[in-house]
Amino acid sequence: MTAKLISGVEIARQIREELKGETGRLKEKCKVTPGLVTILVGQNPASMSYVTAKQKAAREIGFHSVQENQPETMTEYELLALIERYNRDPKIHGILVQLPLPRHINETKVLYAIDPKKDVDGFHPLNVGKMVIGEADYLPCTPAGIQQLLIRSGVKTDGAEVVIVGRSNIVGKPIANILLQKKPGANATVTICHTGTKEMASHTRRADILIVAAGRPRSITADMVKEGAVVIDVGVNRIGKTPDGKALLCGDVDFDAVKEKAGMITPVPGGVGPMTITMLMMNTLKAAKLAAGIESR
Ligand code: NAP
């Protein structure tokens, strides 16, 4: 059997079209233009390309978009002051600080400084807490994207055995929290594996839905997957360069072998990746609506 491909590119395109339509209506009827600022400190090439892609998506949807490119030498104090300026700017509804930050800047302090109402990445502890109790305004982008991939591919999560490999604060823990809520598109039985897990394959083989976010290239092999399972590969591993000099990527799943056993699978690239930016746009639109009182908390 060859698994059905879950195309993040296609699903992200559909959602962005919906967001474009909603943004147009918001501008026309309510005179509100969602505003997003992306703050990049330094010149990390991967971060630069992520920020550029986020700004491009924001412009295409019709947002007011501001890109702050700051030098590597920016101090923590200066960054906190910049965030405070955007916290007070009524034209800006979403603030995204691209991570990682240079070593001399305390990431936690910076994330805590963003007004939780403008925290469209969903990393502020207030928003993390609201997510855990099922009252989130903004779900963190990559896990929210995974949930959308499942919903829009018709995957039934209600009562499903979900196994997640990885317990990071940006992917593993939040997707576990999201999928165990007693809500549509969730209500699953969730297990999280990590480096302390014994006999990981005994868990992954039970999964109706296997979500892998370990950052270990092709480490999930076909013998670790149940026949017919839905496999979501979050991993992005740079394993070399293409002949035209671009980064050659692979996921955490041995795609060629696992696709012969799984029922559905996401590719890398073109799976979870395009969804992350799309969810940032969805959160920014929501932030604008909340600020304008069009939607309530
Ligand atoms: P991370 O912070 O490095 O966390 C990795 C997690 O995987 C940790 O909890 C670690 O366990 C666990 N792990 C690592 N090796 C393992 C193994 N052999 N067996 C079991 N568990 C193992 O990574 P992350 O930020 O969550 O990212 C994970 C991957 O997703 C990376 O490839 C990253 O590039 C990718 N990613 C993609 C997107 C996207 O938009 N597509 C977004 C975010 C991340 P311990 O806690 O025990 O160390």
Side-chain angles (χ1 to χ4, degrees):
M1 180 178 114
T2 299
K4 183 172 175 251
L5 209 63
I6 297 178
S7 169
V9 174
E10 181 50 29
I11 294 173
R13 195 193 57 73
Q14 285 166 14
I15 298 175
R16 286 187 201 188
E17 278 306 309
E18 292 165 16
L19 296 176
K20 203 171 170 178
E22 262 191 75
T23 302
R25 285 190 289 279
L26 192 67
K27 282 175 162 179
E28 201 183 300
K29 291 197 179 138
C30 310
K31 311 288 173 233
V32 173
T33 302
L36 174 71
V37 60
T38 52
I39 303 175
L40 173 69
V41 184
Q43 296 197 318
N44 176 322
S47 296
M48 283 166 79
S49 73
Y50 289 142
V51 162
T52 305
K54 286 166 188 174
Q55 281 298 326
K56 183 169 173 277
R59 280 194 306 273
E60 282 171 3
I61 290 170
F63 293 175
H64 162 59
S65 70
V66 180
Q67 184 162 340
E68 282 282 355
N69 290 331
Q70 295 291 334
E72 181 91 23
T73 50
M74 181 183 222
T75 65
E76 184 179 287
Y77 179 80
E78 286 166 338
L79 178 56
L80 293 173
L82 185 66
I83 290 171
E84 191 44 37
R85 206 178 90 207
Y86 285 111
N87 279 343
R88 283 191 263 105
D89 184 341
K91 284 203 194 111
I92 294 296
H93 305 98
I95 301 174
L96 177 124
V97 178
Q98 187 63 46
L99 303 178
L101 288 167
R103 280 166 159 229
H104 64 276
I105 299 180
N106 181 329
E107 250 172 43
T108 309
K109 215 168 165 182
V110 168
L111 295 179
Y112 281 33
I114 297 172
D115 180 343
K117 295 191 191 77
K118 298 191 177 188
D119 169 40
V120 284
D121 240 348
F123 290 160
H124 190 286
L126 185 86
N127 288 321
V128 175
K130 288 176 92 169
M131 172 191 66
V132 172
I133 61 169
E135 307 253 319
D137 293 324
Y138 313 117
L139 292 175
C141 300
T142 301
I146 295 170
Q147 188 185 36
Q148 283 297 319
L149 283 179
L150 295 172
I151 293 171
R152 288 175 184 248
S153 305
V155 176
K156 186 171 169 282
T157 51
D158 193 339
E161 286 281 344
V162 172
V163 177
I164 299 160
V165 182
R167 58 175 161 189
S168 71
N169 290 334
I170 61 166
V171 189
K173 282 183 202 155
I175 189 63
N177 272 295
I178 291 168
L179 292 180
L180 67 77
Q181 299 296 331
K182 197 168 182 175
K183 288 186 176 183
N187 207 27
T189 303
V190 180
T191 304
I192 310 185
C193 301
H194 44 78
T195 56
T197 301
K198 288 183 187 141
E199 299 189 31
M200 194 169 71
S202 68
H203 297 282
T204 57
R205 271 191 220 113
R206 282 191 297 104
D208 301 316
I209 302 170
L210 177 61
I211 301 172
V212 191
R216 298 281 176 269
R218 300 188 182 121
S219 57
I220 300 294
T221 48
D223 60 309
M224 300 169 81
V225 176
K226 184 165 90 173
E227 191 85 43
V230 175
V231 179
I232 306 289
D233 189 352
V234 189
V236 178
N237 305 290
R238 284 159 205 264
I239 51 167
K241 292 218 160 155
T242 60
D244 55 349
K246 290 189 181 142
L248 186 63
L249 305 178
C250 83
D252 289 351
V253 173
D254 180 0
F255 182 84
D256 289 337
V258 171
K259 80 173 185 335
E260 298 305 321
K261 201 165 178 194
M264 288 177 149
I265 190 165
T266 58
V268 177
V272 175
M275 295 299 290
T276 299
I277 294 180
T278 304
M279 293 300 109
L280 178 72
M281 302 302 133
M282 197 184 253
N283 283 345
T284 304
L285 178 61
K286 186 167 184 192
K289 285 184 183 171
L290 288 169
I294 297 160
E295 225 175 85
S296 55
R297 274 171 215 280

